[in-house]
Amino acid sequence: MTAWLQLTKQREFAAFVGLLVLIVGFSIASPDFFTTYNLMNIMRQASIIALLAIGMTFVIIAGGIDLSVGAIASISGTLAAQVMISSGGGVFVGVLTGLGVGIAVGFVNGLIISKFKVPPIIATLALMSVSQGLALAVTGGYPVSGLPDSFAWLGRGFVGAVPIPVIILLLMYIVAHIILNHTKFGAYVFGLGGNEEATRLAGLNVNKIKIWVYVVSGITAAVSGLILASRLGSGQPLAGQGMELNAIAAVVIGGASVAGGVGGVIGSLIGALIMSVLNNGLDLMNINSYYQMIFTGIILALAVASQSKKRKRGK
């Protein structure tokens, strides 16, 4: 009984219950929902946003925000494709290029925020515009197609019945969970979001922590962009447009506090699955995509309102 009470107090519990309710509801509403094929499809659909949500979790826990992740996904996938096609660099060099772009943009984000004291929402909004503009400029606004067949394995391959993106997703979540909860860096991230001044007075390099947090966000966004480009079979300069909002929603729905200092990647994964299950279930029920946006917005608003009530009770 005590263990159950402790479980119900976990920040991810409400999101997990919500996920179960959606699964049961859609299973009743549509016979096509609870099938192995559709469940794997949901996981594959969730993988892009869930990967973005890993880095966003680090950023939000640290008390920041990153509006550039969608644009980083776009430019990483696009430039990787460009390298594979134009320079004949091959898949390996293309993937390294995409990851390098994500690291570079994340580093610049962190540098602007930490060294020049620009608010995160402004700094990342500026980098979002720059990254999206560069992706369009490099490609002339057209998709980069004709990618090597071997690259398709990253986004469309399987190991047995499990899609490769799902395997990558689970491995990255395990690593991220360990970093956040079992390393000094993870403790620093929580400390930074909980009380930046106290973290500074403890002798920690706050600027360095911020830079690394945004580098992590850049890396996960780049991986997301590479998988997306592989799945689409081309580098799309606008492929990640708007995904930053979905990533933020997944993290907040999963129990992270927009005020910083609270959150976890497990909750973010549940949040991403909630959004994917919701969209998939509504699709099977032939509900217009416009209404899907409305439902997502309502869920996000309820999640934030729930957090506000908890903070007031804590006071």
Side-chain angles (χ1 to χ4, degrees), residues 75-162:
I75 193 172
S76 295
T78 300
L79 290 186
Q82 193 80 32
V83 167
M84 292 179 207
I85 299 302
S86 302
S87 67
V91 174
F92 182 71
V93 177
V95 169
L96 286 182
T97 300
L99 292 174
V101 169
I103 292 170
V105 178
F107 178 81
V108 173
N109 269 331
L111 193 66
I112 293 174
I113 292 166
S114 61
K115 296 293 185 181
F116 299 99
K117 309 305 178 185
V118 177
I121 192 170
I122 302 299
T124 58
L125 182 63
L127 264 294
M128 177 182 75
S129 180
V130 170
S131 299
Q132 200 68 79
L134 284 173
L136 289 167
V138 168
T139 62
Y142 294 100
V144 181
S145 55
L147 302 181
D149 292 338
S150 56
F151 183 59
W153 178 83
L154 187 66
R156 287 175 274 168
F158 287 82
V159 172
V162 184

Coordinates of all heavy atoms in Angstrom, one line a residue, residues 75-162:
I75 N 17.7 21.6 -40.7 CA 19.0 21.9 -41.4 C 20.0 20.7 -41.2 O 20.8 20.5 -42.1 CB 19.6 23.2 -40.8 CG1 20.8 23.7 -41.7 CG2 20.0 23.0 -39.3 CD1 21.3 25.0 -41.3
S76 N 19.9 20.0 -40.2 CA 20.7 18.8 -40.0 C 20.5 17.7 -41.0 O 21.4 17.2 -41.7 CB 20.6 18.2 -38.6 OG 21.0 19.1 -37.6
G77 N 19.2 17.4 -41.2 CA 18.8 16.5 -42.2 C 19.1 16.9 -43.6 O 19.5 16.2 -44.5
T78 N 18.9 18.2 -43.9 CA 19.1 18.8 -45.2 C 20.5 18.8 -45.6 O 20.9 18.4 -46.7 CB 18.5 20.2 -45.3 OG1 17.1 20.2 -45.0 CG2 18.7 20.8 -46.7
L79 N 21.4 19.3 -44.7 CA 22.8 19.4 -45.0 C 23.4 18.0 -45.1 O 24.4 17.8 -45.9 CB 23.5 20.3 -44.0 CG 23.2 21.8 -44.0 CD1 24.1 22.5 -43.0 CD2 23.4 22.3 -45.4
A80 N 23.0 17.1 -44.3 CA 23.5 15.7 -44.3 C 23.1 15.2 -45.7 O 24.0 14.5 -46.4 CB 22.8 14.9 -43.3
A81 N 21.9 15.4 -46.2 CA 21.5 14.9 -47.5 C 22.3 15.6 -48.6 O 22.8 15.0 -49.6 CB 20.0 15.2 -47.7
Q82 N 22.6 16.9 -48.4 CA 23.4 17.6 -49.4 C 24.8 17.1 -49.5 O 25.3 16.9 -50.6 CB 23.4 19.1 -49.0 CG 23.9 20.1 -50.1 CD 22.8 20.4 -51.1 OE1 21.7 20.4 -50.7 NE2 23.2 20.6 -52.3
V83 N 25.4 16.7 -48.4 CA 26.7 16.2 -48.4 C 26.8 14.8 -49.1 O 27.7 14.5 -49.9 CB 27.3 16.1 -47.0 CG1 28.5 15.2 -46.9 CG2 27.6 17.4 -46.4
M84 N 25.7 14.0 -48.8 CA 25.7 12.7 -49.4 C 25.5 12.8 -51.0 O 26.1 11.9 -51.7 CB 24.5 11.9 -48.9 CG 24.6 11.5 -47.4 SD 23.1 10.6 -46.9 CE 23.1 11.0 -45.1
I85 N 24.8 13.8 -51.4 CA 24.5 13.9 -52.9 C 25.6 14.7 -53.6 O 26.2 14.3 -54.6 CB 23.2 14.6 -53.1 CG1 22.0 13.7 -52.5 CG2 22.9 14.8 -54.6 CD1 22.0 12.3 -53.0
S86 N 25.9 15.9 -53.1 CA 26.7 16.8 -53.8 C 28.2 16.5 -53.8 O 28.9 16.5 -54.8 CB 26.6 18.3 -53.3 OG 25.2 18.7 -53.4
S87 N 28.7 16.1 -52.6 CA 30.2 15.9 -52.5 C 30.5 14.4 -52.6 O 31.7 14.1 -52.6 CB 30.6 16.5 -51.1 OG 30.1 15.7 -50.1
G88 N 29.5 13.6 -52.6 CA 29.8 12.2 -52.7 C 30.5 11.7 -51.4 O 31.2 10.7 -51.4
G89 N 30.2 12.3 -50.3 CA 30.8 12.0 -49.0 C 30.3 10.7 -48.4 O 30.9 10.1 -47.5
G90 N 29.2 10.2 -48.9 CA 28.6 8.9 -48.4 C 27.8 9.1 -47.1 O 27.7 10.2 -46.6
V91 N 27.2 8.0 -46.7 CA 26.3 8.1 -45.6 C 27.0 8.5 -44.3 O 26.5 9.3 -43.5 CB 25.5 6.7 -45.4 CG1 24.7 6.8 -44.1 CG2 24.7 6.5 -46.6
F92 N 28.1 7.9 -44.0 CA 28.8 8.2 -42.8 C 29.2 9.6 -42.6 O 29.0 10.2 -41.6 CB 30.1 7.3 -42.7 CG 30.9 7.5 -41.4 CD1 30.4 7.0 -40.2 CD2 32.1 8.1 -41.4 CE1 31.1 7.1 -39.0 CE2 32.8 8.3 -40.2 CZ 32.3 7.8 -39.0
V93 N 29.8 10.2 -43.7 CA 30.2 11.6 -43.6 C 28.9 12.5 -43.5 O 28.9 13.5 -42.8 CB 31.0 12.0 -44.9 CG1 31.3 13.5 -44.9 CG2 32.3 11.2 -44.9
G94 N 27.9 12.1 -44.2 CA 26.6 12.9 -44.2 C 26.0 12.9 -42.8 O 25.6 14.0 -42.3
V95 N 26.0 11.7 -42.1 CA 25.5 11.7 -40.7 C 26.4 12.5 -39.8 O 25.8 13.2 -38.9 CB 25.4 10.2 -40.3 CG1 25.2 10.1 -38.8 CG2 24.4 9.4 -41.0
L96 N 27.7 12.4 -39.9 CA 28.6 13.2 -39.1 C 28.3 14.7 -39.3 O 28.4 15.5 -38.4 CB 30.0 12.9 -39.4 CG 30.6 11.6 -38.9 CD1 32.0 11.4 -39.2 CD2 30.4 11.5 -37.4
T97 N 28.1 15.1 -40.6 CA 27.8 16.5 -40.9 C 26.5 16.9 -40.2 O 26.5 18.0 -39.6 CB 27.6 16.7 -42.4 OG1 28.8 16.3 -43.1 CG2 27.2 18.1 -42.8
G98 N 25.5 16.1 -40.2 CA 24.2 16.5 -39.6 C 24.4 16.6 -38.1 O 23.9 17.6 -37.5
L99 N 25.1 15.7 -37.5 CA 25.4 15.8 -36.0 C 26.2 17.0 -35.7 O 26.0 17.7 -34.7 CB 26.1 14.5 -35.5 CG 25.3 13.2 -35.6 CD1 26.2 12.0 -35.2 CD2 24.1 13.3 -34.6
G100 N 27.2 17.3 -36.5 CA 28.0 18.5 -36.3 C 27.3 19.8 -36.4 O 27.5 20.7 -35.6
V101 N 26.3 19.8 -37.3 CA 25.4 21.0 -37.4 C 24.6 21.2 -36.1 O 24.5 22.3 -35.6 CB 24.5 20.9 -38.6 CG1 23.4 22.0 -38.6 CG2 25.3 21.0 -39.9
G102 N 24.1 20.1 -35.6 CA 23.3 20.2 -34.4 C 24.1 20.6 -33.2 O 23.7 21.5 -32.4
I103 N 25.3 20.1 -33.1 CA 26.2 20.5 -32.0 C 26.6 22.0 -32.1 O 26.6 22.7 -31.1 CB 27.5 19.7 -32.0 CG1 27.2 18.2 -31.6 CG2 28.6 20.2 -31.1 CD1 28.3 17.2 -31.8
A104 N 26.9 22.4 -33.4 CA 27.3 23.8 -33.6 C 26.2 24.8 -33.2 O 26.4 25.8 -32.5 CB 27.7 24.0 -35.0
V105 N 24.9 24.5 -33.7 CA 23.8 25.4 -33.4 C 23.5 25.4 -31.9 O 23.3 26.5 -31.3 CB 22.6 25.0 -34.2 CG1 21.4 26.0 -33.8 CG2 22.8 25.1 -35.7
G106 N 23.6 24.2 -31.3 CA 23.3 24.1 -29.8 C 24.4 24.9 -29.0 O 24.0 25.6 -28.1
F107 N 25.6 24.8 -29.5 CA 26.7 25.6 -28.8 C 26.5 27.1 -28.9 O 26.7 27.8 -28.0 CB 28.1 25.2 -29.4 CG 29.2 25.9 -28.9 CD1 29.8 25.5 -27.7 CD2 29.7 27.0 -29.5 CE1 30.9 26.2 -27.1 CE2 30.8 27.7 -29.0 CZ 31.4 27.3 -27.8
V108 N 26.1 27.5 -30.1 CA 25.9 29.0 -30.3 C 24.7 29.4 -29.5 O 24.7 30.5 -28.9 CB 25.6 29.3 -31.8 CG1 25.2 30.7 -32.0 CG2 26.9 29.0 -32.6
N109 N 23.7 28.6 -29.4 CA 22.5 29.0 -28.5 C 23.0 29.2 -27.1 O 22.7 30.2 -26.4 CB 21.5 27.8 -28.5 CG 20.4 28.0 -29.6 OD1 20.1 29.1 -30.0 ND2 19.9 26.9 -30.1
G110 N 23.7 28.2 -26.6 CA 24.2 28.2 -25.2 C 25.2 29.4 -25.0 O 25.1 30.1 -23.9
L111 N 26.0 29.7 -26.0 CA 27.0 30.8 -25.8 C 26.2 32.2 -25.8 O 26.6 33.0 -24.9 CB 27.9 30.8 -27.0 CG 29.2 31.7 -27.0 CD1 30.1 31.2 -25.9 CD2 29.9 31.7 -28.3
I112 N 25.3 32.4 -26.6 CA 24.5 33.6 -26.6 C 23.8 33.8 -25.3 O 23.7 34.9 -24.8 CB 23.5 33.7 -27.8 CG1 24.3 33.7 -29.2 CG2 22.6 34.9 -27.7 CD1 23.4 33.6 -30.4
I113 N 23.2 32.7 -24.8 CA 22.4 32.8 -23.6 C 23.2 33.0 -22.4 O 22.9 33.8 -21.5 CB 21.5 31.5 -23.5 CG1 20.4 31.5 -24.5 CG2 20.9 31.4 -22.1 CD1 19.8 30.1 -24.7
S114 N 24.4 32.3 -22.3 CA 25.2 32.4 -21.1 C 26.2 33.6 -21.1 O 26.3 34.2 -20.1 CB 26.0 31.1 -21.0 OG 26.9 30.9 -22.1
K115 N 26.8 33.8 -22.2 CA 27.8 34.9 -22.2 C 27.2 36.3 -22.5 O 27.7 37.3 -21.9 CB 28.8 34.6 -23.3 CG 29.7 33.3 -23.1 CD 30.6 33.4 -21.9 CE 31.5 32.2 -21.8 NZ 32.4 32.3 -20.6
F116 N 26.2 36.4 -23.3 CA 25.6 37.7 -23.6 C 24.3 37.9 -22.9 O 23.7 39.0 -23.2 CB 25.5 37.8 -25.2 CG 26.7 37.7 -25.9 CD1 27.1 36.5 -26.5 CD2 27.6 38.7 -26.0 CE1 28.3 36.3 -27.2 CE2 28.8 38.6 -26.7 CZ 29.2 37.4 -27.3
K117 N 23.9 37.0 -22.1 CA 22.7 37.2 -21.2 C 21.5 37.5 -22.0 O 20.6 38.2 -21.5 CB 23.0 38.3 -20.2 CG 24.3 38.1 -19.4 CD 24.4 36.8 -18.7 CE 25.7 36.7 -18.0 NZ 25.9 35.3 -17.4
V118 N 21.4 36.9 -23.2 CA 20.1 37.0 -24.0 C 19.1 36.0 -23.5 O 19.5 34.9 -23.3 CB 20.4 36.8 -25.5 CG1 19.1 36.9 -26.3 CG2 21.5 37.8 -26.0
P119 N 17.9 36.4 -23.3 CA 16.8 35.5 -22.8 C 16.7 34.3 -23.7 O 16.8 34.5 -25.0 CB 15.6 36.3 -22.8 CG 16.0 37.7 -22.6 CD 17.3 37.8 -23.4
P120 N 16.6 33.1 -23.2 CA 16.6 31.9 -24.0 C 15.5 31.9 -25.1 O 15.8 31.5 -26.3 CB 16.2 30.8 -23.0 CG 16.8 31.3 -21.7 CD 16.6 32.7 -21.8
I121 N 14.4 32.5 -24.9 CA 13.3 32.5 -25.9 C 13.7 33.4 -27.1 O 13.4 33.1 -28.2 CB 12.0 33.0 -25.2 CG1 10.8 32.7 -26.2 CG2 12.0 34.5 -24.9 CD1 9.5 32.9 -25.6
I122 N 14.4 34.4 -26.8 CA 14.9 35.3 -27.9 C 16.1 34.7 -28.7 O 16.1 34.7 -29.9 CB 15.3 36.7 -27.3 CG1 14.1 37.4 -26.6 CG2 15.8 37.6 -28.5 CD1 12.9 37.6 -27.4
A123 N 17.0 34.2 -27.9 CA 18.2 33.6 -28.5 C 17.9 32.4 -29.4 O 18.3 32.3 -30.6 CB 19.2 33.2 -27.5
T124 N 17.0 31.5 -28.9 CA 16.7 30.3 -29.7 C 15.7 30.7 -30.8 O 15.7 30.0 -31.9 CB 16.1 29.2 -28.8 OG1 14.9 29.7 -28.1 CG2 17.1 28.8 -27.8
L125 N 14.9 31.7 -30.6 CA 14.0 32.2 -31.7 C 14.9 32.7 -32.9 O 14.6 32.4 -34.1 CB 13.1 33.2 -31.2 CG 12.1 33.8 -32.3 CD1 11.1 32.7 -32.7 CD2 11.3 34.9 -31.6
A126 N 16.0 33.4 -32.5 CA 16.9 34.0 -33.6 C 17.6 32.8 -34.3 O 17.7 32.9 -35.5 CB 17.9 34.9 -32.9
L127 N 18.1 31.8 -33.5 CA 18.8 30.7 -34.2 C 17.8 29.8 -35.0 O 18.2 29.2 -36.0 CB 19.5 29.9 -33.1 CG 20.9 30.2 -32.9 CD1 21.8 29.8 -34.1 CD2 21.2 31.6 -32.5
M128 N 16.5 29.8 -34.6 CA 15.5 29.1 -35.4 C 15.4 29.8 -36.7 O 15.4 29.1 -37.8 CB 14.2 29.1 -34.7 CG 13.1 28.5 -35.5 SD 11.4 28.6 -34.6 CE 11.0 30.3 -34.9
S129 N 15.3 31.1 -36.7 CA 15.2 31.8 -38.0 C 16.4 31.7 -38.9 O 16.4 31.4 -40.1 CB 15.0 33.3 -37.7 OG 14.8 34.0 -38.9
V130 N 17.6 31.8 -38.2 CA 18.9 31.6 -39.0 C 19.0 30.2 -39.6 O 19.3 30.1 -40.8 CB 20.1 31.9 -38.1 CG1 21.4 31.5 -38.8 CG2 20.1 33.4 -37.7
S131 N 18.7 29.2 -38.8 CA 18.9 27.8 -39.2 C 17.9 27.5 -40.3 O 18.3 26.9 -41.4 CB 18.6 26.8 -38.1 OG 19.6 27.1 -37.0
Q132 N 16.7 27.9 -40.2 CA 15.7 27.7 -41.2 C 16.0 28.4 -42.5 O 15.9 27.8 -43.6 CB 14.3 28.1 -40.7 CG 13.1 27.5 -41.5 CD 13.0 26.0 -41.2 OE1 12.5 25.6 -40.2 NE2 13.5 25.2 -42.1
G133 N 16.5 29.6 -42.4 CA 16.9 30.4 -43.5 C 18.1 29.7 -44.3 O 18.1 29.7 -45.5
L134 N 19.1 29.2 -43.5 CA 20.2 28.6 -44.1 C 19.8 27.3 -44.8 O 20.3 27.0 -45.9 CB 21.2 28.2 -43.0 CG 22.1 29.4 -42.5 CD1 23.0 28.9 -41.4 CD2 23.0 29.9 -43.7
A135 N 18.9 26.5 -44.2 CA 18.4 25.3 -44.9 C 17.7 25.6 -46.2 O 17.9 24.9 -47.2 CB 17.4 24.6 -44.0
L136 N 17.0 26.7 -46.3 CA 16.3 27.1 -47.5 C 17.3 27.7 -48.5 O 17.2 27.4 -49.7 CB 15.2 28.1 -47.2 CG 14.0 27.6 -46.4 CD1 13.1 28.8 -45.9 CD2 13.1 26.7 -47.3
A137 N 18.3 28.4 -48.0 CA 19.3 29.0 -48.9 C 20.1 28.0 -49.6 O 20.4 28.0 -50.8 CB 20.1 30.0 -48.1
V138 N 20.5 26.9 -48.8 CA 21.4 25.9 -49.3 C 20.7 25.1 -50.4 O 21.3 24.7 -51.4 CB 21.9 25.0 -48.2 CG1 22.6 23.7 -48.7 CG2 22.9 25.7 -47.3
T139 N 19.4 24.8 -50.2 CA 18.7 24.0 -51.1 C 17.9 24.7 -52.2 O 17.3 24.1 -53.1 CB 17.7 23.1 -50.3 OG1 16.7 24.0 -49.7 CG2 18.4 22.3 -49.3
G140 N 17.8 26.1 -52.0 CA 17.0 26.9 -52.9 C 15.5 26.6 -52.6 O 14.7 27.0 -53.5
G141 N 15.2 26.1 -51.5 CA 13.8 25.8 -51.1 C 13.3 24.5 -51.6 O 12.1 24.1 -51.4
Y142 N 14.2 23.7 -52.3 CA 13.7 22.4 -52.8 C 14.2 21.2 -52.0 O 15.3 21.3 -51.4 CB 14.2 22.3 -54.3 CG 13.6 23.3 -55.2 CD1 14.3 24.4 -55.6 CD2 12.3 23.0 -55.8 CE1 13.7 25.3 -56.5 CE2 11.7 24.0 -56.6 CZ 12.4 25.1 -57.0 OH 11.9 26.0 -57.8
P143 N 13.5 20.1 -52.0 CA 14.0 18.9 -51.3 C 15.3 18.4 -52.0 O 15.5 18.5 -53.2 CB 12.9 17.9 -51.4 CG 11.7 18.7 -51.8 CD 12.2 19.9 -52.6
V144 N 16.2 17.8 -51.1 CA 17.4 17.2 -51.6 C 17.1 15.7 -51.7 O 17.0 15.0 -50.7 CB 18.6 17.4 -50.7 CG1 19.8 16.7 -51.3 CG2 18.8 18.9 -50.5
S145 N 16.9 15.2 -52.9 CA 16.5 13.8 -53.1 C 17.6 12.9 -53.7 O 18.7 13.4 -54.0 CB 15.2 13.7 -54.0 OG 15.5 14.4 -55.2
G146 N 17.3 11.7 -54.0 CA 18.3 10.8 -54.5 C 19.3 10.3 -53.5 O 20.5 10.0 -53.8
L147 N 18.9 10.1 -52.2 CA 19.8 9.7 -51.2 C 20.2 8.2 -51.3 O 19.4 7.4 -51.9 CB 19.1 9.9 -49.8 CG 18.7 11.3 -49.5 CD1 18.1 11.4 -48.1 CD2 19.9 12.3 -49.6
P148 N 21.3 7.8 -50.8 CA 21.8 6.4 -50.9 C 20.7 5.5 -50.3 O 20.1 5.8 -49.3 CB 23.1 6.4 -50.2 CG 23.6 7.8 -50.2 CD 22.3 8.7 -50.2
D149 N 20.6 4.3 -50.9 CA 19.7 3.3 -50.3 C 20.0 2.9 -48.9 O 19.1 2.6 -48.1 CB 19.6 2.1 -51.2 CG 19.0 2.4 -52.6 OD1 18.3 3.3 -52.7 OD2 19.3 1.6 -53.6
S150 N 21.3 2.9 -48.6 CA 21.7 2.4 -47.3 C 21.3 3.4 -46.2 O 21.1 3.0 -45.0 CB 23.2 2.3 -47.2 OG 23.9 3.5 -47.6
F151 N 21.1 4.7 -46.6 CA 20.6 5.7 -45.6 C 19.2 5.4 -45.2 O 18.8 5.8 -44.1 CB 20.8 7.1 -46.2 CG 20.4 8.2 -45.2 CD1 21.1 8.4 -44.0 CD2 19.4 9.1 -45.6 CE1 20.7 9.4 -43.2 CE2 19.1 10.1 -44.7 CZ 19.7 10.3 -43.5
A152 N 18.4 4.8 -46.0 CA 17.0 4.5 -45.7 C 16.8 3.6 -44.5 O 15.8 3.7 -43.8 CB 16.3 3.9 -46.9
W153 N 17.9 2.8 -44.2 CA 17.8 1.9 -43.1 C 17.6 2.6 -41.8 O 16.9 2.1 -40.9 CB 19.1 1.1 -43.1 CG 19.2 0.1 -41.9 CD1 18.7 -1.1 -41.8 CD2 19.9 0.4 -40.7 NE1 19.0 -1.7 -40.6 CE2 19.7 -0.8 -39.9 CE3 20.6 1.4 -40.1 CZ2 20.3 -0.9 -38.6 CZ3 21.1 1.3 -38.9 CH2 21.0 0.1 -38.1
L154 N 18.2 3.8 -41.7 CA 18.1 4.6 -40.4 C 16.7 4.9 -40.0 O 16.3 4.8 -38.8 CB 18.9 5.9 -40.5 CG 19.1 6.7 -39.3 CD1 19.9 6.0 -38.3 CD2 19.8 8.1 -39.6
G155 N 15.9 5.3 -41.0 CA 14.5 5.7 -40.7 C 13.4 4.7 -41.0 O 12.3 4.8 -40.5
R156 N 13.8 3.7 -41.9 CA 12.7 2.8 -42.3 C 13.1 1.3 -42.1 O 12.4 0.4 -42.5 CB 12.5 3.0 -43.8 CG 11.7 4.3 -44.1 CD 11.5 4.5 -45.6 NE 12.7 5.2 -46.2 CZ 12.9 5.4 -47.5 NH1 12.1 4.8 -48.3 NH2 14.0 6.0 -47.9
G157 N 14.3 1.1 -41.5 CA 14.7 -0.3 -41.3 C 14.1 -0.9 -40.1 O 13.5 -0.3 -39.3
F158 N 14.3 -2.2 -39.9 CA 13.7 -3.0 -38.8 C 14.8 -4.0 -38.3 O 15.7 -4.4 -39.0 CB 12.5 -3.8 -39.3 CG 11.3 -3.0 -39.5 CD1 11.1 -2.4 -40.7 CD2 10.3 -2.9 -38.5 CE1 9.9 -1.7 -41.0 CE2 9.1 -2.2 -38.8 CZ 9.0 -1.6 -40.0
V159 N 14.7 -4.2 -37.0 CA 15.4 -5.4 -36.4 C 14.3 -6.3 -35.9 O 13.7 -6.0 -34.9 CB 16.3 -4.9 -35.3 CG1 16.9 -6.2 -34.6 CG2 17.5 -4.1 -35.8
G160 N 14.1 -7.4 -36.7 CA 12.9 -8.2 -36.4 C 11.7 -7.4 -36.7 O 11.5 -6.9 -37.9
A161 N 10.8 -7.2 -35.7 CA 9.6 -6.5 -36.0 C 9.7 -5.1 -35.4 O 8.7 -4.3 -35.5 CB 8.4 -7.2 -35.3
V162 N 10.8 -4.7 -34.9 CA 11.0 -3.4 -34.2 C 11.7 -2.4 -35.1 O 12.8 -2.7 -35.6 CB 11.8 -3.5 -32.9 CG1 11.9 -2.2 -32.2 CG2 11.2 -4.6 -32.0

